[in-house]
């Protein structure tokens, strides 16, 4: 459901639905609470409500901060994995310039197939949270086959051959890391704490008494907006390859790899 929302709605729409919806529900809940229990406006229990709200807000704030930092780190790592994979792929093209023309052409063809498979086949699957190794397996096998069919003769060829083998092994490792990160998601327990905590914090603000309705609504709305923006951030960062704000396959179309597009 989360991935579907990210892929079918713009960030602006998600902001309106998430933040606007939470604020609207909070304000409505506050108005209903004061209508049903008008005595709350006297603020007789403000000391107790304030202490409870402060305690829950501190705990909830720590949980949200931990979740956001963790997700931000994972999103940054996902982008770094893509950059490393494309960099090693580009380096293979450079190293293969030392190969004989036939092997060089075969390697460039295999690298081109791999880059296209990643960007055009594997990436749409990753956006849906269902990446498949098979999307790039044929191109990967062609790259290995090219290296296996080539016996370097000169010291120069041997040096670049060793570098190419090192690079292709790193591409394999980074591909696995990329696919793994495309399948990762925030554990259910943390989701319950993040989203469920909002159901505790926001209703508590309804009980904080103030005779001015404008001040009450401003207080409730501000807390709801802050919580809503934070939950929106959690939603967006939880799936780094989905939605408008996501890791893109541009790295496979730049630099040396641009010649294949």
């Amino acid at each position: 459901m989360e991935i579907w929302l990210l892929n079918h709605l713009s960030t602006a729409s998600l902001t309106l639905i998430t933040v606007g919806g939470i604020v609207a529900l909070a304000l409505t809940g506050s108005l209903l609470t004061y209508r049903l229990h008008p005595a709350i406006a006297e603020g007789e229990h403000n000391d107790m409500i304030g202490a409870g709200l402060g305690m829950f807000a501190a705990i909830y704030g720590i949980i949200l901060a931990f979740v956001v930092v963790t997700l931000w780190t994972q999103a940054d790592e996902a982008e770094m994995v893509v950059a490393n994979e494309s960099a090693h792929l580009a380096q293979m093209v450079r190293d293969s310039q030392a190969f004989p023309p036939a092997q060089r052409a075969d390697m460039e063809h295999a690298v081109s197939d791999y880059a296209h498979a990643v960007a055009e086949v594997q990436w749409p699957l990753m956006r849906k949270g269902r990446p498949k190794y098979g999307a790039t397996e044929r191109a990967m096998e062609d790259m290995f086959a090219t290296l296996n069919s080539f016996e370097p003769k000169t010291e120069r060829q041997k040096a670049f051959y060793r570098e190419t083998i090192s690079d292709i092994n790193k591409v394999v490792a980074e591909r696995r890391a990329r696919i793994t990160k495309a399948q990762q998601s925030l554990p259910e327990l943390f989701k319950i704490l993040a989203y469920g905590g909002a159901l505790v914090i926001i209703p508590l603000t309804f009980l904080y008494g103030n005779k001015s309705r404008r001040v009450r609504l401003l207080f409730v709305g501000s807390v709801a907006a802050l919580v809503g923006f934070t939950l929106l951030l959690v939603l967006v960062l939880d799936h780094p390859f989905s939605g408008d704000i996501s890791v893109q396959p541009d790295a496979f179309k730049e630099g040396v790899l641009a010649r294949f597009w």
Side-chain angles (χ1 to χ4, degrees):
M1 182 62 179
E2 295 174 352
I3 292 179
W4 187 91
L5 290 173
L6 288 170
N7 289 333
H8 289 81
L9 297 176
S10 65
T11 302
S13 299
L14 283 174
T15 302
L16 181 62
I17 293 173
T18 305
V19 181
I22 290 176
V23 171
L25 289 174
L27 294 178
T28 302
S30 179
L31 291 172
L32 289 175
T33 300
Y34 275 83
R35 177 171 295 182
L36 295 175
H37 305 283
I40 293 178
E42 300 299 326
E44 182 178 352
H45 304 291
N46 276 4
D47 291 342
M48 181 182 66
I49 298 299
L53 185 60
M55 180 184 66
F56 281 112
I59 297 174
Y60 185 56
I62 292 173
I63 293 173
L64 280 183
F66 175 77
V67 169
V68 170
V69 170
T70 299
L71 292 177
W72 176 263
T73 301
Q74 291 179 355
D76 187 59
E77 289 175 351
E79 190 166 3
M80 185 60 65
V81 164
V82 171
N84 289 338
E85 182 182 6
S86 61
H88 293 307
L89 196 66
Q91 191 60 45
M92 289 175 59
V93 177
R94 294 189 180 94
D95 291 339
S96 65
Q97 299 305 304
F99 296 177
Q103 282 75 23
R104 182 171 67 247
D106 289 343
M107 180 59 73
E108 290 182 350
H109 180 72
V111 169
S112 175
D113 287 347
Y114 183 88
H116 278 272
V118 169
E120 298 174 350
V121 180
Q122 204 164 56
W123 220 269
L125 295 174
M126 291 167 58
R127 282 180 61 85
K128 298 177 182 178
R130 300 193 299 270
K132 293 182 180 180
Y133 282 99
T136 55
E137 194 62 29
R138 178 62 181 274
M140 182 66 71
E141 290 176 355
D142 288 343
M143 287 189 287
F144 274 105
T146 299
L147 290 176
N148 290 332
S149 65
F150 172 46
E151 184 67 33
K153 295 180 175 57
T154 66
E155 289 301 321
R156 177 171 175 270
Q157 288 180 346
K158 291 178 180 179
F160 280 104
Y161 185 80
R162 287 193 296 269
E163 288 299 320
T164 306
I165 292 177
S166 175
D167 286 324
I168 195 172
N169 287 332
K170 290 176 181 177
V171 169
V172 172
E174 297 295 351
R175 179 186 65 161
R176 179 174 291 276
R178 170 170 54 81
I179 292 178
T180 298
K181 290 188 175 298
Q183 295 172 320
Q184 285 182 338
S185 180
L186 192 67
E188 292 299 323
L189 177 60
F190 283 104
K191 289 184 179 180
I192 293 173
L193 290 173
Y195 295 110
L199 299 178
V200 176
I201 295 296
I202 295 177
L204 278 177
T205 63
F206 303 166
L207 304 179
Y208 200 82
N210 193 293
K211 294 183 179 180
S212 172
R213 186 174 70 171
R214 180 177 298 178
V215 172
R216 292 198 309 264
L217 294 180
L218 180 62
F219 172 62
V220 172
S222 299
V223 174
L226 179 61
V227 172
F229 274 113
T230 306
L231 293 182
L232 175 64
L233 190 60
V234 171
L235 174 63
V236 171
L237 292 178
D238 193 21
H239 304 283
F241 294 98
S242 303
D244 291 343
I245 305 175
S246 61
V247 182
Q248 300 297 320
D250 296 342
F252 292 92
K253 304 178 181 179
E254 299 172 344
V256 174
L257 302 178
R259 72 174 71 171
F260 303 128
W261 296 87

